[in-house]
Amino acid sequence: MSNSLELDSPPTEAQLQRIASLSATDLADIDAALLALCIPQWRKLARVVAGAMNSFEGRFNGVPDTYFAQRVARLIDEGVLEVTGDPRRMRGCEIRRVS
């Protein structure tokens, strides 16, 4: 069982190649799916990531959950989302929309 204090695993070489193949449209779609699951109340980052990944029904097979979490970190840096905890630790982190 993974400890919530451990950093999430880095992507494999195959996953890095899949990430590199994503288009600007793909990235915008991922960001939109993540934001659609964020509300003004705190939610576990892992829940938001899993929901976004499931919403694509296999479209992004090979793209790891940690990449979706990196997209969330970008949205945090842009001031769209707030965070409590470390986004590199999905199970120990919560996010919400900036109100």
Side-chain angles (χ1 to χ4, degrees):
M1 179 182 263
S2 178
N3 183 328
S4 65
L5 297 179
E6 294 175 12
L7 290 177
D8 297 327
S9 300
T12 65
E13 186 59 38
Q15 290 169 332
L16 288 171
Q17 290 175 3
R18 178 65 176 106
I19 291 166
S21 75
L22 296 173
S23 69
T25 300
D26 292 333
L27 299 180
D29 290 348
I30 289 170
D31 291 349
L34 291 164
L35 288 172
L37 293 166
C38 293
I39 58 175
Q41 292 77 34
W42 294 107
R43 277 196 168 163
K44 290 284 186 190
L45 175 55
R47 176 182 176 183
V48 172
V49 166
M53 292 179 78
N54 288 336
S55 74
F56 291 111
E57 300 178 355
R59 176 176 165 198
F60 296 117
N61 283 346
V63 177
D65 57 354
T66 53
Y67 184 70
F68 279 70
Q70 287 176 7
R71 298 301 299 174
V72 168
R74 190 181 131 286
L75 294 167
I76 292 165
D77 289 345
E78 291 177 359
V80 178
L81 299 174
E82 291 180 293
V83 63
T84 180
D86 186 342
R88 297 172 302 161
R89 296 175 173 99
M90 270 188 277
R91 290 193 171 111
C93 176
E94 294 186 337
I95 57 173
R96 67 179 178 187
R97 279 195 180 260
V98 172
S99 44

